Amino acid sequence: MLGMITLQDIQDAASRLQGQVLDTPCVESRTLSQIVGAQVFLKFENLQFTASFKERGACNKLTLLTPEERAHGVVAMSAGNHAQGVAYHAQRLGLRAVIVMPRFTPGVKVERTRGFGAEVVLHGDTLEEARQHAYALADEQGLTFVHPYDDEAVAAGQGTLGLEMLQAVPTAAKAIKPGIEIIGVQTVRFPAMVNAVQGTHYPQGTSTIAEGIAVGTPGTITQEVVRRLVNDLVLVDEGDIEQAVLMLLEIEKTLVEGAGAVGLAAMLRHPDRFRGKKVGLVLCGGNIDPLLLAAIIERGMVRSGRLARIRVSARDVPGALARITAALAEVGANIEEVHHQRAFTMLAAQNVEIELVLQTRGHTHVEEVLEHLHAVGMTATKM
């Protein structure tokens, strides 16, 4: 038994899903393995048609509906991946789908869900408010509620990715190979499962870039599965997740959302926990807001030193800025932004502070830039 779900349930789901969802690749990443000191295998669930493993569960649930349930249609609550999975497979199967999303849901996710033919209802400021409205619609209109995680058929469908990992790398499904460790990951801002299972009382935040796992209360089914089968639960912070998203983009050339990158984030945050082991990571979602991705990339460039701010003091005379830019060109730094600061400075009135944002090759290059500016007689500091 997997909680209330048997291995046979998952195997039956795998048979139903053949040809309806992708059997995504599960391959070794040699570069990531070298970086984290473990043998890392990546399961590319971000390659599903809706870019998330969530459509496995949605598809399995919908295929099990009775003729009467199919005639009435389904309703789901989600701010993203589950919504698209339900909408897409309902469209494929010719079912009516109503998706309730919180009002703050990014427009791109709303439009993608509508693009699959679903009726989108924006209601409430939180997922809980949206959930309650979805339940109300189910009662009023006779719709079948498709829970994003606390449903046996949904969970069985999602569990099929474990069977695929086992076939690709014979170490990936605990029900078949009990010696396998399962490590759960949550963000420090939403540690509900950690608190429930470990009896801790970590405070809960209000937002995270891993919104796909920003769950305030763990599900009954999922909590039982975690208690029974998960060996350990670890927490990661926002910086870890940002770094993981950026590494997967740069190294694997694959786009993964915050919640889909927490496995790698855990390996970066807790390297001793995984060093020397064979580790399978599920890249479980690739739907990320473009503006958030842009911010993650820019912040990553700052952390790596490839984007740096410096302050240069100079006489406020014609040609001063030209001399600074020429010096920066000599050392190979590219200027992205320039700001003259005349009023908010402690320098003499005839002087000016010039703040520059530079594109560089890294921290060492930034130090070379500062040394060169000092060598040509300028006062420069890193901000």
Side-chain angles (χ1 to χ4, degrees):
M1 291 284 291
L2 297 179
M4 302 176 188
I5 308 151
T6 66
L7 176 59
Q8 186 62 52
D9 291 330
I10 298 175
Q11 292 171 332
D12 290 343
S15 297
R16 282 189 292 272
L17 297 185
Q18 281 187 351
Q20 301 194 68
V21 300
L22 292 179
D23 182 342
T24 55
C26 183
V27 296
E28 182 180 0
S29 171
R30 294 185 179 181
T31 302
L32 289 178
S33 296
Q34 292 173 355
I35 292 173
V36 301
Q39 190 176 11
V40 179
F41 292 84
L42 303 178
K43 177 67 168 168
F44 287 87
E45 283 296 287
N46 57 337
L47 297 181
Q48 293 290 351
F49 186 73
T50 61
S52 169
F53 81 108
K54 289 293 186 72
E55 71 171 77
R56 292 176 179 268
C59 183
N60 190 50
K61 175 70 174 181
L62 298 185
T63 57
L64 290 172
L65 295 178
T66 66
E68 182 180 1
E69 290 171 332
R70 293 169 66 95
H72 284 87
V74 297
V75 62
M77 175 284 302
S78 171
N81 294 338
H82 180 63
Q84 293 178 59
V86 171
Y88 169 58
H89 286 288
Q91 184 183 58
R92 284 183 53 253
L93 297 169
L95 310 179
R96 180 193 177 205
V98 179
I99 308 296
V100 183
M101 309 178 90
R103 285 193 290 260
F104 65 79
T105 304
V108 64
K109 294 186 177 182
V110 174
E111 292 309 311
R112 283 175 183 166
T113 305
R114 284 195 177 123
F116 291 126
E119 303 168 30
V120 176
V121 178
L122 299 178
H123 181 90
D125 294 328
T126 66
L127 288 171
E128 183 56 36
E129 290 176 2
R131 179 183 293 112
Q132 293 305 318
H133 189 63
Y135 282 136
L137 291 178
D139 292 337
E140 293 169 7
Q141 302 180 29
L143 302 170
T144 298
F145 183 76
V146 183
H147 199 285
Y149 50 87
D150 213 19
D151 181 288
E152 293 178 22
V154 169
Q158 294 170 354
T160 59
L161 69 87
L163 297 182
E164 292 176 9
M165 292 180 76
L166 181 64
Q167 292 171 355
V169 185
T171 57
K174 187 165 185 173
I176 300 174
K177 297 211 171 187
I180 296 170
E181 280 191 292
I182 299 177
I183 312 299
V185 187
Q186 286 198 297
T187 75
V188 293
R189 295 189 178 185
F190 284 87
M193 185 65 78
V194 173
N195 286 340
V197 173
Q198 297 182 349
T200 51
H201 301 282
Y202 295 115
Q204 185 157 296
T206 57
S207 65
T208 172
I209 63 171
E211 68 270 12
I213 55 173
V215 178
T217 304
T220 302
I221 293 176
T222 50
Q223 191 173 157
E224 171 62 21
V225 171
V226 169
R227 288 183 184 278
R228 185 183 299 271
L229 295 178
V230 173
N231 299 88
D232 195 9
L233 293 167
V234 298
L235 295 173
V236 295
D237 63 27
E238 299 299 291
D240 301 324
I241 302 170
E242 289 182 26
Q243 184 180 358
V245 170
L246 194 56
M247 288 177 68
L248 289 165
L249 188 62
E250 289 188 318
I251 296 171
E252 294 300 325
K253 310 301 183 289
T254 191
L255 181 61
V256 179
E257 63 192 77
V262 294
L264 178 57
M267 296 192 73
L268 298 173
R269 168 57 63 177
H270 308 280
D272 292 341
R273 179 72 178 79
F274 302 97
R275 187 171 288 114
K277 296 183 178 180
K278 183 179 292 186
V279 182
L281 300 180
V282 181
L283 307 184
C284 49
N287 293 306
I288 188 169
D289 180 41
L291 292 177
L292 175 58
L293 178 61
I296 289 174
I297 292 173
E298 189 169 47
R299 287 160 61 92
M301 291 180 66
V302 171
R303 282 195 297 270
S304 66
R306 288 177 291 173
L307 201 62
R309 284 198 306 165
I310 67 170
R311 179 184 290 120
V312 182
S313 303
R315 294 278 294 175
D316 194 8
V317 296
L321 181 58
R323 288 191 291 273
I324 295 172
T325 57
L328 292 172
E330 290 168 0
V331 77
N334 191 35
I335 299 172
E336 186 167 291
E337 295 179 17
V338 178
H339 179 67
H340 280 69
Q341 188 59 263
R342 290 182 171 87
F344 298 95
T345 176
M346 299 302 292
L347 296 178
Q350 67 268 39
N351 284 16
V352 63
E353 284 185 339
I354 301 174
E355 298 175 2
L356 302 106
V357 176
L358 306 177
Q359 295 175 2
T360 69
R361 295 188 295 272
H363 294 294
T364 301
H365 189 205
V366 174
E367 296 303 318
E368 293 174 1
V369 169
L370 295 176
E371 290 175 6
H372 183 67
L373 291 173
H374 294 156
V376 297
M378 301 179 187
T379 302
T381 56
K382 185 177 177 181
M383 297 178 65

